[in-house]
Every structure is written in C-alpha cells, then in structure tokens.
Amino acid sequence: MIGRTVAWFAAARRDLPWRAPSRTPWGVLVSEVMLQQTPVARVEPVWRAWLGRWPTPAALAAAPTADVLRAWDRLGYPRRALRLHECARVVVERHGGTVPADEAALRALPGVGEYTAAAVAAFAFGRRALVVDTNVRRVLARAVGGVALPAPTPTAAERQTATALVPDDDATAVAWAAASMELGALVCTARSPRCGECPVGDLCAWRAAGHPGDEHAHRRRAQAWHGTDRQCRGRIMAVLRGAPGPVPRSVIDAAIDAAIGAAISTAVGAGTRSAGAAPESRPDRAQVTRCLAGLIEDGLVEQTPARAYRLPAD
C-alpha cells in the first residue's frame, strides 16, 4: 500500500508553493497553520502574499498586530493569525529566528500542536514523523479499518495503526506522509470518493466489504453558518480590517445590516430563498454586543476610550 501510494503521489501531486524545492521551514510552518480547517484554494494566494511580505519569523515578529490581522484577510479563525504572530516572536526570542527542527521544540511554540509539529518536522526538515490529519485518518479508516469514515475524534487504535505504517527511514516516511494526505484530499474524499482512480483500491478493506455506510453518522453534526456567532464575528472583523481607524458601534451595526441585505438580495435574485426565509442571517444587537465582547477577550479587537472599536494597536 505504501509503495503504490507513494508512486501515485509522484505523478499526481499538486504543485503547491510550500512543496517547492525553494520552500523554507518558516514557509512550511505558515502553510500548516493556514491550512487548518481551510481549503488549499483559499490559502495559496494568502500564503504567497504573506511570505512575500514576511519571509522570515523576524519579519513577522516585528509587524504590528493590526497589519497581521488585515493580511489574514478572510481565512477564518483569525486567532490563528495571533498565534502565528506570537509564534514568530518566540522563534526569534528562543531560537534566534530559526524554526527548530525538533518536534518537542516545535510543540513548545504558540499555536503548534502535535500534528503541526510532526508536519513541519517531516515536510520542512525531512524527518520521520507520525503525520496524521483528517485526510490520512479517512484513508486509513477505509483502507485498513474497512469503515466509511473514522470516528469523530481520534482513537488510540487509529494512532496505533498509523504508527505501525510509518516507514522506518526518513525519506520513505516523509513520502508516505505526503502521499497519504494527498490521496485523501484528491481521491479518497469524504463525500464522493473516486474509488476507480485509487492506486490501492484492490487492497481497500472498505471496498472489499461493499462500501458499508458511516457507522458514526448519528454522532456527526453539520456545522451551521448563517446566523451563528462565528458569522457575526467574521462580519465585524471585515468591517474593522477595512477601516483606517477606530469604528463607532453605529457604523458596525450599519455595515452588518448592509452586508446581510446584500446577501439576501443575492440569494433572492438567484431564486434560492426569500428575504423572509433567512431570519437566521439577521443578528440582533445583543448578538453583536456578545460577539464584540468575545473578540475583545480573544485579543482580536480593542475598544477605545471613546467607545469605538479597532484592530489591536501595538
């Protein structure tokens, strides 16, 4: 399975900038943080702009927080930008501006967990590591476990299976890590797997079992978006990113109302819904107040003495 997957990857791999021979450990680290819960198509242009502006940890460490949040743009989960900013400062302070290669040292950096540390060790430094993301979990669940999808949260058994499959030598282990991730992203997808294109289809336990359904379906919940606090927070951040200075609450409310109105008009024009069918898209003022308070607590927004709002000032 490993040999075939690696050979398939050599021919089918996407040409991504953080895989280029000219990549740097910092570029790989930035890509891994940006790719958390965010598709490649959205990440790539932001990553290119980010590395063009801040090609080293020292460059990012010296940047104003507001500039960092504006550059993060609409990638979502903007606390990742704060953690990456803090990570750059720690790399400068503790490691002389050089991203460490050791997994333990990587995990000690702000915002870097087990997966990210392993991915950077493997893809930036060519070291053997246990690299298991959502795509790898799905590939192993099907090919080895014979189930449609892995459990909602990783299990000890999954980890044991993944660990047992990691090749002993660095080069093959890194190739397997990248190839198994790519297989999950391009072929062994969650909703529409292309089993006929799979290089290990004849070895797949799930296929051999007749493609049984998802035994964990009852435990999965679809993530809502319209009307949620996350959507409201995103709209507030969009207003502040586009403002040259502090923004009064009245302007935030008006901008959110305008954005909602435009979204509803677009949906109605497309024949997908009526204005009255989208009450979840209309946050009340209490929701905006709650979201502003949360953004302030998270360090993403500051309130001025004049009770206006702005991105953090350094």
Side-chain angles (χ1 to χ4, degrees):
M1 183 170 72
I2 293 171
R4 287 196 206 171
T5 305
V6 169
W8 167 85
F9 177 68
R13 59 180 288 173
R14 289 169 291 180
D15 183 19
L16 302 175
W18 45 85
R19 289 176 176 167
S22 60
R23 69 187 182 280
T24 64
W26 173 240
V28 173
L29 175 55
V30 171
S31 75
E32 290 296 340
V33 173
M34 288 185 172
L35 287 165
Q36 294 167 9
Q37 298 178 288
T38 309
V40 167
R42 289 179 58 197
V43 167
E44 185 171 351
V46 178
W47 183 91
R48 289 183 183 278
W50 189 284
L51 268 292
R53 187 172 184 179
W54 300 304
T56 65
L60 181 63
T65 303
D67 288 356
V68 172
L69 289 172
R70 287 192 176 94
W72 193 258
D73 198 26
R74 301 181 65 182
L75 283 185
Y77 303 101
R79 279 178 289 185
R80 291 181 295 166
L82 295 184
R83 299 291 80 78
L84 191 53
H85 196 202
E86 185 182 356
C87 176
R89 289 171 173 169
V90 172
V91 169
V92 171
E93 293 167 2
R94 299 181 188 173
H95 303 283
T98 300
V99 175
D102 178 71
E103 278 192 66
L106 285 164
R107 289 192 66 178
L109 298 175
V112 176
E114 181 180 6
Y115 163 77
T116 302
V120 172
F123 305 140
F125 298 103
R127 295 190 172 188
R128 182 181 185 272
L130 178 63
V131 184
V132 181
D133 73 343
T134 301
N135 290 313
V136 175
R137 290 186 66 215
R138 187 167 56 253
V139 167
L140 297 186
R142 289 172 176 167
V144 181
V147 297
L149 292 169
T153 56
T155 65
E158 278 186 82
R159 185 178 181 85
Q160 290 173 356
T161 297
T163 300
L165 282 170
V166 179
D168 292 332
D169 65 288
D170 286 339
T172 309
V174 172
W176 163 244
S180 55
M181 289 174 64
E182 195 80 333
L183 184 63
L186 300 183
V187 175
C188 194
T189 58
R191 293 178 180 159
S192 302
R194 298 196 291 273
C195 297
E197 301 175 23
C198 181
V200 294
D202 61 318
L203 304 177
C204 178
W206 182 55
R207 180 175 175 179
H211 302 94
D214 178 15
E215 61 188 51
H216 301 288
H218 65 287
R219 298 172 57 192
R220 305 185 200 279
R221 293 182 301 174
Q223 292 186 340
W225 170 250
H226 291 290
T228 62
D229 280 5
R230 185 182 163 211
Q231 184 187 42
C232 184
R233 284 165 60 104
R235 283 172 168 155
I236 293 169
M237 290 297 294
V239 172
L240 299 184
R241 283 197 306 270
V247 179
R249 169 63 187 267
S250 60
V251 173
I252 292 174
D253 289 338
I256 290 177
D257 288 344
I260 293 169
I264 292 175
S265 295
T266 299
V268 171
T272 57
R273 64 171 67 186
S274 66
E280 74 281 5
S281 296
R282 299 182 181 277
D284 57 28
R285 297 303 178 238
Q287 184 184 33
V288 176
T289 298
R290 181 173 67 249
C291 290
L292 277 167
L295 290 167
I296 291 170
E297 183 177 356
D298 291 340
L300 293 164
V301 172
E302 291 181 347
Q303 186 176 30
T304 70
R307 301 187 66 80
Y309 300 90
R310 67 185 181 190
L311 296 179
D314 293 295

